Amino acid sequence: MLAIYKREMKAYFSTFIGYAFIASFLIISGVFFTLAVLAQAADADVTVYYAGVIYSFVVLIPLLTMKLFTDEKRLRTETVLLTSPVSLFSIVFAKFLAAFTMFSMTLGISCINLIPMYVYGDQNTMIILGNLLSILLIGAAFISVGVFLSSVTENQLVAAVSTIAVIGLFLVIGMFSTSIGFTPLRVVLNFFSVFNRYTYFTYGIIDYAALIYYLSISVLFIFLTVRVFERRRWA
Amino acid sequence: MIHIENLTKYYGKNPAVNNISFDIGDGEVVGFLGPNGAGKSTTMNILTGYLSSTSGVCTIDGIDILENPGEAKKRIGFLPEVPPLYPDMTPLEYLNFIYDLKKCTLNRKKHIDEIISVMRLGDYKDRLISHLSKGYKQRVGIAGALISNPKVLIFDEPTIGLDPRQIIEIRELIRSLGKNHTIILSTHILPEVQAVCDRIIIIDKGTIRADKATSDINELAENKKRFTIQIAGPRQEVEGVLRRVEGVQSVEYLSTSKNNGTLYRVQCKPGYDSRKRIFTALAERQWPIMELNTLGTSLEDIFIALTSKQ
């Protein structure tokens, strides 16, 4: 598993994708930080900043995941993985982990944005940590969606577009739920909404229900990806 | 070493491999022959654990590929039809990657250096794979299959797309690997199996048509004698005499040369060898034989005969 993880990490940097991801993440988060925090002076709200960052995942996460399995299929290199004594789960998880490493590393770098807040004011560190934790969880969930979608197609573009669509759906689902009169549907939509869940984290509180929700999305899509390969083998 | 029993694989409703069985012993080099879509690649993919069979048993060194895929896969080196190479790696990085992937326990540097020198990749080990020629990519692919020194090597069309010199090199390499590995090799190129393999399995439409030692196949070919013969004598009469010789099926006129007489192609009936009778018949009339060349029935003929039978 470590071999595949290392290879993926290296591939991010031997192609331009890793740099493209880091650069766009930092530019987008910098812009949101300027608008939501620096420009607001006393009304600055770090939660608004992080909400903006979460919206940007619609385009950022597919960058990380679109080529994970599509490239293996295109180059026919998946045979070397699938005929090696490594379990399907290890293959999928190694790729997930590589994407997640890139993601959390960049999130870590983006924390330099926060320095002016500490220099010029008093901050509630718990709120910031809560936001960061929720972003890590949401990122993991979205990455697993992207990993899954890259395993079902051979085409990077299809993988990217479908990942954008699914992540977009996860994000907007909660927005419209308040305007829906039909209660059961509203409850269902609220249940799946990524945003409604994450509110408690922004108060600096760990919401275990939400934690489990985000983790189960990750586990579900990793499991589905393993199933895709199992099914293909038996097809 | 390899045991396959009643192996069947359906794609949807169509059987790609239909109830085939064979055993391959230690150190055997077996050629897997068949037209496109015969089920060669499917069988190889099942053997390597890439696909699962619908039914039947497949064991490597006594280990079932479905029950204990991890252990079985450690014993196999596989080169698929398209070598599975990452273009953004160098051969050295690639071999190190495969080394880790196969959970190899041999001395890393020594083992990889050895493979690089066997495959003569020394000058290329630090270049990007995307910059290598087709022949070198193929070598890197084979090098990858050799990592961890597996007992069984499976090569799917290893010489496809290579130039003649490279083909000969790869064949020689396979022959030398055959000394201490069990090898299965699939190919369309029939002389290749004759040159490299101890045994030939011909497969068509998912079933085995023939499973014979290469020498037996060659003997099968001997059975249908064909030769060209050049005779100094009057053309019409010679042709008439040849036709009347016992066991001759057909005589075909090829060419006439001024000094050496006329060239014919003679086909004998199955099981007959009319060369001695022809000699006697011609000697009686004092028409000397200037030249006689036997044409062994090519493996192609056998192959076509076996695979076109319904």
Side-chain angles (χ1 to χ4, degrees), chain B residues 34 63 290:
Chain B
I63 299 161
M290 309 302 286

mmCIF file of all heavy atoms in Angstrom, chain B residues 34 63 290:
data_model
loop_
_atom_site.group_PDB
_atom_site.id
_atom_site.type_symbol
_atom_site.label_atom_id
_atom_site.label_comp_id
_atom_site.label_asym_id
_atom_site.label_seq_id
_atom_site.Cartn_x
_atom_site.Cartn_y
_atom_site.Cartn_z
ATOM 1 N N GLY B 34 -3.601 -19.126 -30.620
ATOM 2 C CA GLY B 34 -5.007 -19.076 -30.980
ATOM 3 C C GLY B 34 -5.306 -17.794 -31.706
ATOM 4 O O GLY B 34 -4.591 -16.818 -31.536
ATOM 5 N N ILE B 63 -1.400 -23.447 -4.966
ATOM 6 C CA ILE B 63 -2.184 -22.434 -4.257
ATOM 7 C C ILE B 63 -3.304 -21.928 -5.158
ATOM 8 O O ILE B 63 -3.057 -21.501 -6.286
ATOM 9 C CB ILE B 63 -1.282 -21.260 -3.838
ATOM 10 C CG1 ILE B 63 -0.198 -21.756 -2.890
ATOM 11 C CG2 ILE B 63 -2.095 -20.165 -3.173
ATOM 12 C CD1 ILE B 63 0.963 -20.832 -2.784
ATOM 13 N N MET B 290 18.356 -32.689 -60.115
ATOM 14 C CA MET B 290 19.368 -31.667 -59.870
ATOM 15 C C MET B 290 19.268 -31.121 -58.443
ATOM 16 O O MET B 290 20.235 -30.677 -57.853
ATOM 17 C CB MET B 290 19.222 -30.499 -60.853
ATOM 18 C CG MET B 290 19.158 -30.926 -62.305
ATOM 19 S SD MET B 290 20.606 -31.854 -62.796
ATOM 20 C CE MET B 290 21.809 -30.548 -62.888
#
